[in-house]
Amino acid sequence: MSPEQQAATAVNPVTEAGRMAPKNYDAVLLASFGGPEGQDDVIPFLRNVTRGRGIPDERLEEVSHHYRANGGVSPINQQNRELKAALEAELAARGIELPVLWGNRNWAPYIPQTLQEAYDAGHRRVLMLTTSAYSCYSSCRQYREDIGMALTETGLDGKLEVDKVRQYFDHPGFVEPFVEGTATGLADVRAKLAEAGTPDAPVHILFATHSIPTRDAEAAGRSEGEPRVFEEGSAYVAQHLANAAAVIERVEKESGLTAPWSLVYQSRSGAPHVPWLEPDINDAIEELAGQGVKGIVIVPLGFVSDHMEVVWDLDTEAMETCGNLGLAATRVPTPGTHRKFVDGLVDLICERTVANNISDRPALTDLGPWYDVCRPGCCANFRGEKPTIAGADTTVGTGHDPYPSGGAAETAQL
């Protein structure tokens, strides 16, 4: 095994405290955000997304334009159907008899309904896989709350066990499709510049992810007993920066191509006075053009699939900004149903199962592998605590034993 492979698969003593022993699961739950599938669905969907915030329908209609412009249909549900089918095919190819269930946070099929159907079908121990790779409230803890609340609402608490795979931001299956795409994107932009007669013009790579409120970013990965201090004070930011650096290193090593890069944000929403992570991708593009950059490669590093915030915010708005400024530009694909991504997700399932167990837990940055069981208070919900699963502060379910009181060395048997 090469030094790189050893580093990628070495046990991280920090994450050992949150490692859960393999179990005999009888189903997999693919959990996602959900999206409207017609014009009549748009406002009810946005009501679900913003529930509890008292936002009137008139305001929701103002922010519905990207859905309206695409027939009221978000691509995400169809992409999840395709991902579900791909996971089922790969599990079957490996001889693993685990049905894949599907439940959404904000649109049918809803998570509570899916859990009830799972229980009625005889399932008692379910492993959840989400379509969010990074650590922050909306990407991790909110899914844990979704399950906790669903178990409570359906009366299945104590009857149905649901655990969750680790956040997989730096798993090779998630990162490697971006390595391929970034190399291809660089070559494509270089070809466009050569065709325009400026083959050596400056090119810049923008790694794009969803902006979140600064307060949520500061809470991301922050928990009781977490010994690390994350770059820029946020695990969410640190994970993206580490991933971007890993992608650039691999692209240069494997293709000989490289370019300066930076992390940018998109899809900001909410009250204007509330600070969110910056810079916005469109502002960054304008600034780079002013500095003489002539080519842009957009890498949607924060996203699993080409859902609405990729199709609209990147393919429509950001590419339009590039066009207006006369920049050669391309947008790299998300992992979607890339074979390496699907294989990686099934590997994550196998990390947690007794049968077909994979003991190695690869991670391409020093931040991983991430926790199976989150530490107390991780990625805090500032609106108030809710029932959660898959955490040391779990309030529902039977997913794990509490953390031992000792340090990492004493908790390595978890």
Side-chain angles (χ1 to χ4, degrees), residues 186 189 193 201-208 259-265 279-299 318 321-322 324-330:
L186 274 169
V189 167
L193 291 171
V203 174
H204 195 92
I205 301 169
L206 292 176
F207 289 98
W261 63 272
S262 54
L263 178 63
V264 295
Y265 302 92
D280 176 79
I281 184 171
N282 295 287
D283 294 340
I285 291 169
E286 292 179 1
E287 183 175 344
L288 288 166
Q291 296 170 357
V293 168
K294 298 299 182 183
I296 296 289
V297 179
I298 299 173
V299 185
T321 299
C322 289
N324 291 339
L325 294 168
L327 304 179
T330 192

Side-chain angles (χ1 to χ4, degrees), residues 219-231:
R222 182 175 294 176
S223 57
E224 295 177 22
E226 172 57 64
R228 291 172 291 181
V229 176
F230 297 107
E231 192 165 357

Side-chain angles (χ1 to χ4, degrees), residues 178-202:
F178 286 119
V179 174
E180 293 180 13
T182 301
T184 301
L186 274 169
D188 178 59
V189 167
R190 280 288 172 207
K192 290 177 180 179
L193 291 171
E195 187 176 344
T198 56
D200 298 322

Side-chain angles (χ1 to χ4, degrees), residues 136-394:
C136 70
Y137 171 73
S138 58
S139 293
C140 184
R141 188 180 186 92
Q142 192 169 8
Y143 280 107
R144 294 167 49 212
E145 291 177 348
D146 290 337
I147 299 299
M149 294 174 67
L151 290 173
T152 301
E153 293 167 1
T154 58
L156 293 175
D157 183 20
K159 300 178 181 179
L160 182 67
E161 181 177 338
V162 186
D163 295 324
K164 177 184 171 297
V165 304
R166 61 184 169 100
Q167 293 300 91
Y168 49 84
F169 64 94
D170 61 354
H171 190 282
F174 180 68
V175 177
E176 288 176 2
F178 286 119
V179 174
E180 293 180 13
T182 301
T184 301
L186 274 169
D188 178 59
V189 167
R190 280 288 172 207
K192 290 177 180 179
L193 291 171
E195 187 176 344
T198 56
D200 298 322
V203 174
H204 195 92
I205 301 169
L206 292 176
F207 289 98
T209 191
H210 204 301
S211 184
I212 60 175
T214 303
R215 188 183 187 192
D216 285 344
E218 291 170 349
R222 182 175 294 176
S223 57
E224 295 177 22
E226 172 57 64
R228 291 172 291 181
V229 176
F230 297 107
E231 192 165 357
E232 298 195 15
S234 167
Y236 183 76
V237 175
Q239 289 169 359
H240 282 86
L241 290 172
N243 254 13
V247 169
I248 292 297
E249 181 180 359
R250 289 278 299 276
V251 168
E252 186 171 13
K253 181 178 179 180
E254 296 174 13
S255 70
L257 300 172
T258 193
W261 63 272
S262 54
L263 178 63
V264 295
Y265 302 92
Q266 63 176 88
S267 311
R268 189 203 191 285
S269 61
H273 69 278
V274 177
W276 284 52
L277 292 177
E278 296 177 337
D280 176 79
I281 184 171
N282 295 287
D283 294 340
I285 291 169
E286 292 179 1
E287 183 175 344
L288 288 166
Q291 296 170 357
V293 168
K294 298 299 182 183
I296 296 289
V297 179
I298 299 173
V299 185
L301 191 66
F303 303 98
V304 165
S305 62
D306 289 6
H307 54 63
M308 186 58 71
E309 287 165 330
V310 174
V311 171
W312 182 262
D313 295 10
L314 298 183
D315 293 351
T316 304
E317 292 186 337
M319 291 298 285
E320 184 177 288
T321 299
C322 289
N324 291 339
L325 294 168
L327 304 179
T330 192
R331 196 268 290 175
V332 169
T334 52
T337 55
H338 190 291
R339 180 56 188 267
K340 289 183 179 179
F341 180 52
V342 174
D343 286 352
L345 293 180
V346 174
D347 286 348
L348 285 163
I349 293 168
C350 291
E351 285 181 3
R352 302 291 297 278
T353 55
V354 173
N356 305 292
N357 182 255
I358 296 176
S359 58
D360 285 343
R361 298 192 171 201
L364 296 181
T365 78
D366 292 338
L367 296 175
W370 205 251
Y371 308 104
D372 300 337
V373 180
C374 292
R375 293 173 181 272
C378 189
C379 301
N381 180 357
F382 294 113
R383 295 188 179 91
E385 291 188 11
K386 295 180 179 179
T388 59
I389 64 149
D393 51 355
T394 287

Side-chain angles (χ1 to χ4, degrees), residues 72-96:
V73 179
S74 168
I76 193 169
N77 279 354
Q78 182 56 33
Q79 289 166 358
N80 283 327
R81 293 184 186 101
E82 294 169 3
L83 180 58
K84 179 177 181 290
L87 288 168
E88 290 169 335
E90 179 59 23
L91 286 165
R94 299 194 195 187
I96 301 172

